[in-house]
Amino acid sequence: MIRVEQLVKRFQAGGRDVLAVDRVSFSVAAGEVYGLLGPNGAGKTTTVRMIVGLLRPDDGYAEVDGFRTSSASDEVKSRIGLVTAEDGVYPWLTVREMLLFFADLYGVPFDVAQERLQGLSELLQIDTLLDRRCAVLSTGQKQRVTLGRALIHDPPIMLLDEPTRGLDVIGSQVVFEYIAHLRKQGKAIIVSTHQLDEAQRLCDRFGLLHQGRLEYEGTLRDLQQLTGRESLVDMFIGLLGQPVIGPLPAAG
Amino acid sequence: MNHEGLDSSRSLGAPNAAASSQETGASPVPTGAARPKRRASGRLLRLCLKELRETLRDRRTIVTLVLMPLLVYPLLSILFNRLLSSPRSNKTQFTCVIGLDVAKEDNEQFRNYMLLSEEVLRRRQAMRKSEDQQKSPASSVGGEQAGPEPTIQWWSGTNLEKPVAAGQVDVGVVVRRPNAARPGRTLQVQLLYRESSSLSQIGVDYLQRRFGAFNEQYLVERLQVVGVNTRPPIESEVRAIRDARPAVSLTTLIPLILILMTITGAVYPAIDLTAGERERGTLESLMAAPVPRLSLLTAKYVAVVTVALLTAVANLFAMTVTLVSTGLSEAVFGPNGLPPVLVAQVFALLILFAAFFSAILLAVTSFARSFKEAQAYLIPLMLLSLAPGMLSLMPGLKFDGMFSILPLVNIVLLARDLMEGQVNATLATVAVMSTAIYAVAAIAVAARIFGTDAILYGSQATWSDLLLRRPESRTAPSVSGALLLLAVLFPVYFLLANGLQRLDWLSMSIRLALSGLITAALFAGFPAVSSALQSVRLRDAFRIGPAAVAGFAAAAMFGCSLWPLAHELVLFSRTIGFNTLSPEQIQGAEKVVEALRQLSPAFVLFALAVIPAVCEELFFRGYLFAALRQRFSAAGTILITAVLFGTFHVVVTSGLSIERLLPSAFLGLMLGWVCSRTGSVLPGMLLHVVHNGLLLLIMIYRDALQRSGWGLAEQEHMPRMWLAAAAVTMLLASLLLIWGTRRRSSASSSGDR
């Protein structure tokens, strides 16, 4: 479903080039949850943005469902549901209006959107909030509305960039449970998060990013063998502690 | 035109939401890109509604919309009243504070004098009134009567300079005796007043009128005692006639205020809907949706214009109420007050202005990453837009060619002329057209900037990067680039064409050469530079490509047969009232033709037929067509380029002539059709050259033609036979064109994308 091939992104910082993403390649199949993990500034968010087509890669490409981001951006965008930590809401619109607006942006017919809105709001427990202005929602409620927004066009692919930032334990729980539910529906999902224990339980495969490079990739067992460490937390500490070695051949 | 079907079918059949539906069982989701066009227009409407809903629910919008006019106009009306109340209007009551500094022993004498002078004045007024009634009852305005009579409040003290300067006292009266040693009847009075205060001046008038009357009466009485004839050598009477044009031109001030108020209405929504998206964190999800940015921006634009218009309506209403209720409308527009037609016209102009300024605002605020940044960008814009407003306040400024294309100035001056009831239709048309073109270009810029990654993620990109950078190498110039170019070309061309007119001291051949140069630079040079900047190959940008021989043949036939119809269209335009050519202009044109006859026909043909034809084709059917064709259907592109082609020809050659709009647009339609069918700019060039050349030759050799019985007068209808022959040729050419290009169009419909 998702294929990322030798993606490169450079940024200008303080007058010199910084490699934010350095030849990253991986792929995610339908029904699979891929954990894109790494410390802050590792290049997770930049990678996600390049997959959606919000940033243009300097080299390499991303493919979704056989469509290249660079040449068929609308085809790619219509297949992706994007949730990011900075997602906002329209304070003056009601939850229902906002969700229907996004359904419209994705070209979902009105009656289908209505139906889906009903189903989604029950699942995400926002059905009582539908006619409230977004401005009065709590952080957790907003995040659930954002999830609903990303799903209103029933995309086969979900990209979740730190979907639990700012949420309490219960709020995070709802989100992760929902991700598991989405996997059952056969969606291809990329999650980037700092909640490693949750990620360890949820994701099928992992990609560990550090300084723009995909250092390790594979299932939990693969990673345990590669690094010789038990948990993701330990691997992380190892990753940050030891000097960076050359990238391993991507498993995908 | 087989091209049209392409757009809707271009991405159908993509392996779409199959993956999502196979497991969920949900109905397949048609993606935005694959939606048929019908839905897209409905969606645009819904997008507009969402933006409007968002803005109109915002309290801040409502404040500027409703509260501002409610507060501003009553305040303004007070200001207007002050401005208008010259000392001759006696509508309003003033209270004037007069400070008196007088020695105790002189106090009684001064009071006495004042009482006596009041008495004299009253007697005189009574006398004049009875005289007036004998003469004619109407002429009661005149002399001292017309002055305002303030209510006087006396105040006493010493050192009056201070209270006068502080405004505590309006007029200070310092009474002194000229020579204290020899008491007499004369008192010396010094009046202190503030120059800047009209109330102060009114007070001085009040006092001087009394002193003057008293002194006069005193002299008369003394002379009568001596037995001298007291009729003065000069008997004067002052009559005030109301100024038809008030000192401060309210007719300019009112549109300016309305325009400024409309701006205040548009500013907040413009910031909120662009920079606000980023600030709220909704911009990213918006950009992640498969919607063209131009659609998003158009929806936002409609919302901003709507709010601006609502503000304009609120302001116009408040202003009308204020003007009528305070009686100011009479002062400005004469005894009939504010005519409703004028209110409607001003409103139409405000619509135009709102459309223009909202576009500019969006273009500027799209650059901003936050509210604060947007406000910082807007301050220079506001100052910049104040300047033309101030300029238009200058009395005696004529609304002419140059000003009709200056953004904002043209609207303010047009509004002023409207209110003064003297509008030049041609200039008004040019002003409206150029404003519309600027607005479209600004929206194009906004769509290009809004939500780009530089704005979205704040990466450091320079402005030139934002405007010029293209993601991939392209095969056609961008729409926004083309619209921008158009916005530059139109005023520049207008200015140069007008300027060339004034150079009549140059010889005809030099003027022709200059005109050719200008045409080549503008219509071929500018687009070529623009294409190079966008790294589009010139062949692609100008649609220079091979075309079927039949296409050229049909173009030549059209070239021979279109002009009689174009001629009839000119006459038709004149009959429906589009007649802007004055007799002098026709005479001037005749002189030009006479001068042309003196030159070598080959040179004239080259300068006036070949160069304009080739260059205009390169721009209208080449560059512009290629750019617009990406966004619009073939028919839409033909129509838009034809209308623009017609618009440019309104300002071409001998000044301005609206009657050229229809025939030129018609020619543009045919040229567009030929260009679209053949897929190349070249046959159209042939058509254009033949068409222009024939018209020129007919003009140059008119006398010779008339002698040999092929007479054709400028103002007359064509002979029926000619029209019939032209129609048949056109028909044949059309058939030839369709037949000759059938293979190309079927090939392109399968090959295109």
Side-chain angles (χ1 to χ4, degrees):
Chain A
M1 287 300 279
I2 309 170
R3 205 156 86 88
V4 171
E5 204 51 62
Q6 296 288 316
L7 270 187
V8 175
K9 184 71 192 175
R10 290 184 202 88
F11 284 124
Q12 291 273 321
R16 58 193 185 89
D17 271 356
V18 175
L19 266 177
V21 175
D22 187 4
R23 285 163 289 162
V24 168
S25 307
F26 62 87
S27 61
V28 184
E32 191 177 33
V33 179
Y34 188 89
L36 196 58
L37 310 175
N40 289 329
K44 307 183 296 285
T45 305
T46 308
T47 306
V48 168
R49 284 171 180 170
M50 283 192 284
I51 296 174
V52 191
L54 293 170
L55 276 180
R56 209 160 347 107
D58 290 316
D59 205 358
Y61 62 90
E63 244 178 36
V64 165
D65 227 358
F67 291 101
R68 288 242 178 136
T69 311
S70 54
S71 52
S73 73
D74 279 359
E75 303 292 343
V76 170
K77 282 176 178 174
S78 61
R79 283 167 174 74
I80 294 179
L82 175 72
V83 178
T84 73
E86 279 131 32
D87 262 334
V89 289
Y90 291 105
W92 297 100
L93 296 186
T94 65
V95 173
R96 184 192 304 277
E97 282 164 349
M98 178 173 147
L99 293 183
L100 288 179
F101 165 63
F102 274 95
D104 220 355
L105 288 184
Y106 284 90
V108 183
F110 187 71
D111 41 342
V112 178
Q114 283 283 8
E115 226 169 87
R116 215 170 274 160
L117 176 67
Q118 210 51 47
L120 273 177
S121 60
E122 276 161 27
L123 262 173
L124 292 167
Q125 296 158 26
I126 51 171
D127 42 346
T128 52
L129 309 174
L130 281 182
D131 292 307
R132 286 206 208 157
R133 296 261 166 99
C134 289
V136 301
L137 301 181
S138 72
T139 314
Q141 289 169 335
K142 271 184 197 159
Q143 193 62 9
R144 275 180 278 156
V145 169
T146 303
L147 262 179
R149 189 221 75 219
L151 287 161
I152 194 79
H153 57 297
D154 197 16
I157 290 160
M158 288 293 287
L159 303 182
L160 301 113
D161 187 10
E162 301 196 35
T164 56
R165 198 202 294 182
L167 292 188
D168 58 16
V169 184
I170 306 291
S172 308
Q173 205 58 42
V174 173
V175 172
F176 283 118
E177 271 170 24
Y178 198 74
I179 293 173
H181 171 76
L182 291 176
R183 166 168 45 196
K184 271 192 225 136
Q185 291 192 328
K187 295 189 192 300
I189 301 167
I190 296 180
V191 188
S192 125
T193 180
H194 289 296
Q195 287 181 309
L196 296 177
D197 44 345
E198 286 290 350
Q200 187 167 342
R201 228 174 303 149
L202 182 74
C203 301
D204 303 309
R205 287 194 301 124
F206 304 87
L208 262 61
L209 273 172
H210 184 45
Q211 294 184 349
R213 293 196 198 178
L214 198 61
E215 299 290 352
Y216 304 112
E217 214 222 4
T219 60
L220 185 62
R221 182 162 299 167
D222 293 339
L223 292 187
Q224 283 166 340
Q225 281 175 357
L226 275 168
T227 58
R229 296 175 199 246
E230 255 318 290
S231 72
L232 277 176
V233 179
D234 288 339
M235 288 179 217
F236 238 75
I237 293 167
L239 190 68
L240 293 176
Q242 73 192 38
V244 180
I245 40 166
L248 294 161
Chain B
M1 279 161 268
N2 291 344
H3 307 252
E4 278 144 283
L6 295 178
D7 282 43
S8 47
S9 65
R10 96 164 84 116
S11 49
L12 280 179
N16 199 1
S20 70
S21 54
Q22 63 192 17
E23 270 128 326
T24 56
S27 59
V29 191
T31 63
R35 314 280 315 147
K37 276 197 166 171
R38 251 175 305 112
R39 298 245 189 189
S41 63
R43 179 172 76 180
L44 190 61
L45 190 75
R46 288 193 298 275
L47 292 187
C48 296
L49 278 178
K50 172 253 166 189
E51 304 290 354
L52 262 180
R53 199 179 273 152
E54 209 191 334
T55 349
L56 288 180
R57 277 184 192 160
D58 199 329
R59 256 174 242 115
R60 284 166 285 191
T61 314
I62 300 305
V63 168
T64 44
L65 200 66
V66 182
L67 236 51
M68 285 281 276
L70 280 183
L71 284 174
V72 165
Y73 288 99
L75 283 175
L76 275 178
S77 76
I78 296 172
L79 182 79
F80 285 172
N81 254 322
R82 290 294 287 271
L83 284 174
L84 271 183
S85 63
S86 59
R88 299 257 179 274
S89 81
N90 51 1
K91 230 167 213 152
T92 336
Q93 272 291 293
F94 316 96
T95 305
C96 197
V97 181
I98 296 181
L100 187 61
D101 175 10
V102 61
K104 237 184 216 156
E105 57 270 24
D106 298 329
N107 193 10
E108 207 187 321
Q109 194 184 342
F110 181 75
R111 295 260 156 185
N112 243 339
Y113 283 180
M114 284 307 290
L115 283 175
L116 283 172
S117 63
E118 194 71 50
E119 183 61 35
V120 172
L121 219 70
R122 199 164 335 131
R123 244 187 293 143
R124 272 201 203 178
Q125 268 171 14
M127 228 158 69
R128 182 164 293 133
K129 214 174 229 168
S130 63
E131 267 173 34
D132 278 351
Q133 270 162 3
Q134 278 165 6
K135 279 190 278 182
S136 74
S139 65
S140 60
V141 194
E144 291 129 342
Q145 259 168 297
E149 284 293 289
T151 315
I152 299 298
Q153 206 180 334
W154 291 93
W155 188 91
S156 66
T158 50
N159 282 335
L160 286 175
E161 278 89 346
K162 260 190 203 160
V164 169
Q168 198 178 352
V169 167
D170 294 306
V171 185
V173 182
V174 185
V175 184
R176 294 281 177 268
R177 198 166 280 278
N179 195 341
R182 205 154 29 102
R185 300 195 54 179
T186 303
L187 287 178
Q188 229 172 33
V189 178
Q190 192 185 19
L191 298 180
L192 310 172
Y193 79 109
R194 288 189 306 279
E195 244 177 325
S196 58
S197 157
S198 59
L199 196 57
S200 206
Q201 279 165 359
I202 287 167
V204 170
D205 278 355
Y206 171 89
L207 289 167
Q208 278 188 328
R209 222 163 26 240
R210 273 149 189 80
F211 297 159
F214 183 65
N215 283 346
E216 218 173 281
Q217 189 63 28
Y218 169 77
L219 284 176
V220 168
E221 275 168 19
R222 291 300 293 262
L223 288 171
Q224 274 171 347
V225 168
V226 191
V228 180
N229 178 11
T230 56
R231 260 199 106 94
I234 298 175
E235 276 187 342
S236 69
E237 187 191 10
V238 183
R239 285 187 57 187
I241 308 296
R242 201 202 321 263
D243 194 348
R245 303 175 53 134
V248 174
S249 173
L250 271 188
T251 48
T252 314
L253 207 55
I254 288 175
L256 194 60
I257 289 166
L258 281 173
I259 279 175
L260 287 178
M261 294 304 289
T262 309
I263 292 179
T264 60
V267 165
Y268 178 72
I271 299 179
D272 192 50
L273 294 182
T274 52
E277 291 268 8
R278 153 89 202 235
E279 195 143 305
R280 280 190 294 268
T282 45
L283 186 57
E284 190 173 27
S285 20
L286 207 55
M287 288 300 114
V291 196
R293 285 202 289 243
L294 195 61
S295 305
L296 290 174
L297 249 294
T298 310
K300 288 174 187 302
Y301 175 63
V302 171
V304 175
V305 171
T306 310
V307 175
L309 279 183
L310 287 176
T311 320
V313 170
N315 279 278
L316 202 59
F317 177 74
M319 182 145 217
T320 311
V321 167
T322 311
L323 280 178
V324 171
S325 64
T326 56
L328 271 170
S329 70
E330 231 174 282
V332 181
F333 303 105
N336 294 329
L338 196 61
V341 179
L342 186 64
V343 177
Q345 281 172 329
V346 169
F347 182 64
L349 216 59
L350 279 180
I351 293 180
L352 180 71
F353 172 75
F356 166 73
F357 209 80
S358 304
I360 301 288
L361 280 177
L362 281 180
V364 173
T365 55
S366 288
F367 277 99
R369 298 178 185 91
S370 68
F371 247 86
K372 271 187 188 163
E373 204 180 328
Q375 279 163 343
Y377 291 161
L378 284 184
I379 290 168
L381 178 73
M382 292 299 182
L383 291 177
L384 225 94
S385 49
L386 272 180
M390 292 299 138
L391 188 73
S392 62
L393 273 178
M394 282 176 6
L397 194 73
K398 240 190 116 227
F399 180 41
D400 59 11
M402 172 75 183
F403 288 120
S404 67
I405 50 162
L406 259 186
L408 200 58
V409 177
N410 55 10
I411 302 177
V412 178
L413 287 180
L414 186 58
R416 183 198 68 185
D417 285 4
L418 259 182
M419 296 194 99
E420 288 176 356
Q422 37 178 339
V423 187
N424 178 329
T426 309
L427 285 178
T429 314
V430 173
V432 170
M433 278 173 182
S434 53
T435 303
I437 289 177
Y438 299 144
V440 171
I443 292 293
V445 171
R448 177 159 239 185
I449 303 305
F450 180 72
T452 48
D453 54 338
I455 305 299
L456 190 50
Y457 303 124
S459 56
Q460 296 152 324
T462 62
W463 283 46
S464 58
D465 281 352
L466 284 173
L467 285 170
L468 299 177
R469 185 191 52 191
R470 290 310 320 170
E472 288 99 30
S473 65
R474 307 167 56 97
T475 53
S478 71
V479 182
S480 50
L483 291 172
L484 254 179
L485 185 67
L486 193 67
V488 174
L489 266 186
F490 185 71
V492 171
Y493 181 65
F494 180 80
L495 274 187
L496 289 180
N498 256 9
L500 204 60
Q501 286 291 305
R502 312 228 166 108
L503 298 176
D504 43 10
W505 43 271
L506 282 173
S507 81
M508 197 59 188
S509 50
I510 293 182
R511 274 159 72 193
L512 280 187
L514 269 179
S515 144
L517 270 178
I518 289 172
T519 310
L522 289 185
F523 292 112
F526 274 45
V529 171
S530 162
S531 311
L533 283 174
Q534 300 179 44
S535 54
V536 183
R537 286 192 316 163
L538 285 185
R539 280 179 63 97
D540 296 333
F542 286 134
R543 293 172 56 99
I544 302 172
V549 179
F552 283 104
M557 284 165 74
F558 276 129
C560 297
S561 59
L562 289 183
W563 62 269
L565 215 80
H567 176 81
E568 288 299 309
L569 275 172
V570 172
L571 295 187
F572 172 71
S573 301
R574 289 199 183 132
T575 55
I576 60 171
F578 285 138
N579 196 353
T580 49
L581 279 185
S582 61
E584 298 93 77
Q585 269 176 313
I586 293 174
Q587 234 176 7
E590 201 52 44
K591 255 188 217 157
V592 170
V593 173
E594 198 50 52
L596 290 179
R597 286 186 187 132
Q598 312 302 321
L599 299 171
S600 137
F603 175 66
V604 174
L605 274 184
F606 184 72
L608 287 180
V610 178
I611 290 188
V614 168
C615 297
E616 282 170 19
E617 284 315 299
L618 281 179
F619 179 65
F620 287 101
R621 254 66 60 180
Y623 184 89
L624 207 58
F625 200 98
L628 294 178
R629 186 65 185 88
Q630 299 168 94
R631 181 90 64 198
F632 299 95
S633 68
T637 310
I638 293 174
L639 191 71
I640 296 171
T641 50
V643 169
L644 287 170
F645 185 66
T647 308
F648 267 76
H649 281 75
V650 168
V651 299
V652 81
T653 60
S654 57
L656 297 154
S657 51
I658 303 264
E659 57 259 60
R660 295 196 56 160
L661 181 63
L662 266 184
S664 299
F666 161 72
L667 190 67
L669 279 180
M670 298 309 290
L671 284 165
W673 187 43
V674 170
C675 169
S676 169
R677 290 292 306 194
T678 59
S680 164
V681 78
L682 298 176
M685 277 185 191
L686 179 68
L687 194 171
H688 206 148
V689 170
V690 172
H691 176 89
N692 279 12
L694 270 177
L695 280 179
L696 259 178
L697 288 176
I698 291 173
M699 228 164 29
I700 294 175
Y701 294 113
R702 196 179 49 205
D703 296 344
L705 283 171
Q706 265 170 357
R707 270 197 299 277
S708 55
W710 290 77
L712 184 63
E714 179 77 5
Q715 315 292 331
E716 277 170 20
H717 284 282
M718 304 284 298
R720 286 219 187 117
M721 272 303 291
W722 290 40
L723 280 177
V728 170
T729 316
M730 262 180 72
L731 192 68
L732 286 177
S734 305
L735 291 175
L736 181 62
L737 182 65
I738 294 171
W739 174 81
T741 55
R742 71 197 184 287
R743 216 169 302 147
R744 202 200 86 81
S745 54
S746 60
S748 75
S749 43
S750 57
D752 235 10
R753 287 179 195 256

